[in-house]
Amino acid sequence: DYKGQKLAEQIFQGIILVSAIIGFIYGYITEQFGWTVYIVMAGFALSCLLTLPPWPMYRRNPLKWLPVQDLGTEEKKPGDRKPKRHAKS
């Protein structure tokens, strides 16, 4: 559902943003860029774990599909169509 997709996107972006800020600050304090990368990668892994599986919190508003309609006895064949004519320029 669309509300679940929006929630997953917000969670994903929030975790990435927070981990990037924390990683930058920690990397700046320790003067190690590697720690910044590790923290951002951990945030990415956490966000993937929380947003990729179809958790029940993302499926609270399912979409209502139209019922299947029978075509009846008259089925159109591909050869029954009229050929399209292109406008002359």
Side-chain angles (χ1 to χ4, degrees):
D1 64 68
Y2 296 114
K3 291 182 183 180
Q5 289 177 2
K6 183 178 179 181
L7 177 62
E9 181 72 21
Q10 290 173 343
I11 290 172
F12 178 79
Q13 289 180 354
I15 291 173
I16 294 294
L17 180 65
V18 169
S19 68
I21 291 170
I22 291 171
F24 178 78
I25 292 171
Y26 187 76
Y28 184 78
I29 290 171
T30 61
E31 297 179 2
Q32 293 289 322
F33 182 72
W35 279 106
T36 301
V37 174
Y38 294 143
I39 293 172
V40 171
M41 287 174 44
F44 177 76
L46 177 65
S47 65
C48 285
L49 180 67
L50 292 177
T51 58
L52 290 180
W55 298 108
M57 65 182 172
Y58 302 130
R59 297 185 288 158
R60 291 185 181 163
N61 303 305
L63 297 176
K64 294 179 182 171
W65 295 88
L66 292 176
V68 176
Q69 296 178 354
D70 293 331
L71 294 176
T73 57
E74 294 184 28
E75 293 185 17
K76 292 188 176 183
K77 297 178 185 174
D80 292 345
R81 296 185 199 158
K82 293 182 181 178
K84 293 182 181 179
R85 296 185 181 188
H86 298 286
K88 295 180 182 179
S89 53

